Amino acid sequence: MLINQVFRRTEVKYLLSPEEYERFLAIVKPNLKKDKYFRGTNCSVYFDNDEKYIAIHSLEKPLYKEKVRVRSYGVPGENDTVFIEIKKKFSGVGSKRRIPVRTKDFQRYLETGELLTNTIEDDQIKKELDYCWDFYQLKPVVYIAYDREAYCDENNPNFRVTFDQNIRYRTKDLELTKGDRGIKYFQDGSVIMEVKALGGFPLYFVRALSRLKIYPTKFSKYNKVMNVLINKEKSYV
């Protein structure tokens, strides 16, 4: 089975109230179709060092930033597939490089640095991962999960819209196999809409945004959660 491993696209995010989410989806839904992976829970463990360098650098809003994580779709077992990812962004355009591995093989990679790769591309991504682990001295720092609905334009599969709800996080039991529980980030039911496109937005979508006065926002789940955690650490100093 061929699994996409490299993604390059423009990503625009919007923060919606529960009411805005319902109204907006009702307007655009006739032009959308459910994604192949329409509904599920995305689970990630993010890696940083003791100084939280990657998080702090990202919060400074640099032109270029990167982060390393392992992601699963749902809570995985030892033999299920997870994805080791390097996510980069330069001047607003994101790219994601990832290697699919079994959960137990990723755990072995954490312990020994050894990871069998199946393709030349996998091998190149592993070299990038090895460099990041050595350069940053990475370790797991936070677990983040959320429930997602995914759609794409009925005529253009490269235009994709996702709605993320119930964002939650934890700083203990930092393994994907430990369940998807966590502390809720939003207490008011807010929804993050993310639009991923290789080109412009369809006219019906632009008109819906304008009609409901919905505007883009800067929102990184990782950055927002890490900002909360870093401020908590500062309050104890």
Side-chain angles (χ1 to χ4, degrees), residues 8-165:
R8 291 183 179 88
R9 58 200 174 193
T10 299
E11 300 178 354
V12 184
K13 297 179 182 178
Y14 303 83
L15 178 61
L16 310 180
S17 69
E19 294 76 18
E20 288 173 328
Y21 159 69
E22 296 288 348
R23 292 179 63 195
F24 185 82
L25 185 56
I27 294 172
V28 300
K29 199 170 184 179
N31 296 283
L32 301 175
K33 62 181 180 181
K34 294 179 180 179
D35 188 78
K36 180 180 180 182
Y37 304 102
F38 167 58
R39 181 176 284 131
T41 299
N42 289 5
C43 311
S44 298
V45 174
Y46 288 84
F47 296 82
D48 208 329
N49 56 28
D50 289 329
E51 290 74 33
K52 308 293 191 299
Y53 174 82
I54 293 177
I56 293 172
H57 179 67
S58 183
L59 289 170
E60 293 172 347
K61 300 180 180 179
L63 189 64
Y64 170 81
K65 58 185 178 180
E66 62 185 348
K67 51 194 170 188
V68 179
R69 69 189 180 197
V70 58
R71 165 163 288 186
S72 66
Y73 300 99
V75 178
E78 287 192 352
N79 290 305
D80 290 329
T81 299
V82 299
F83 298 88
I84 316 173
E85 300 180 344
I86 302 175
K87 191 171 184 182
K88 304 180 181 183
K89 182 170 284 190
F90 178 77
S91 193
V93 178
S95 68
K96 183 169 65 176
R97 297 167 64 77
R98 68 184 189 178
I99 305 175
V101 299
R102 292 181 300 178
T103 307
K104 62 183 181 183
D105 293 331
F106 174 68
Q107 190 59 39
R108 184 172 69 243
Y109 176 66
L110 288 183
E111 295 169 357
T112 68
E114 297 178 1
L115 185 68
L116 295 177
T117 54
N118 299 315
T119 67
I120 294 175
E121 188 172 54
D122 281 357
D123 188 57
Q124 177 58 40
I125 297 172
K126 182 184 180 297
K127 290 178 181 177
E128 293 182 42
L129 285 167
D130 290 342
Y131 175 81
C132 287
W133 245 272
D134 182 62
F135 181 78
Y136 292 115
Q137 295 295 296
L138 296 178
K139 68 176 188 178
V141 293
V142 67
Y143 171 98
I144 299 176
Y146 51 90
D147 303 320
R148 167 168 284 185
E149 289 183 358
Y151 300 86
C152 63
D153 184 274
E154 62 180 357
N155 298 311
N156 179 10
N158 290 319
F159 182 79
R160 190 164 181 261
V161 186
T162 58
F163 298 93
D164 297 338
Q165 305 180 59

Side-chain angles (χ1 to χ4, degrees), residues 142-234:
V142 67
Y143 171 98
I144 299 176
Y146 51 90
D147 303 320
R148 167 168 284 185
E149 289 183 358
Y151 300 86
C152 63
D153 184 274
E154 62 180 357
N155 298 311
N156 179 10
N158 290 319
F159 182 79
R160 190 164 181 261
V161 186
T162 58
F163 298 93
D164 297 338
Q165 305 180 59
N166 194 24
I167 299 170
R168 52 211 186 265
Y169 65 93
R170 65 176 186 256
T171 56
K172 296 181 179 179
D173 295 328
L174 297 179
E175 296 179 27
L176 294 172
T177 57
K178 299 292 186 180
D180 63 3
R181 70 190 183 283
I183 300 169
K184 282 191 176 183
Y185 180 80
F186 289 121
Q187 300 301 318
D188 61 359
S190 291
V191 178
I192 299 298
M193 178 174 72
E194 186 168 344
V195 182
K196 303 176 179 70
L198 295 179
F201 291 8
L203 184 58
Y204 71 84
F205 201 88
V206 175
R207 286 175 172 169
L209 291 171
S210 177
R211 176 178 169 183
L212 297 184
K213 295 182 172 57
I214 295 173
Y215 305 105
T217 188
K218 300 290 185 181
F219 193 97
S220 161
K221 301 176 188 71
Y222 173 69
N223 285 359
K224 293 294 186 181
V225 168
M226 290 304 296
N227 191 44
V228 170
L229 297 177
I230 288 169
N231 285 333
K232 281 184 178 180
E233 289 181 359
K234 288 180 180 179

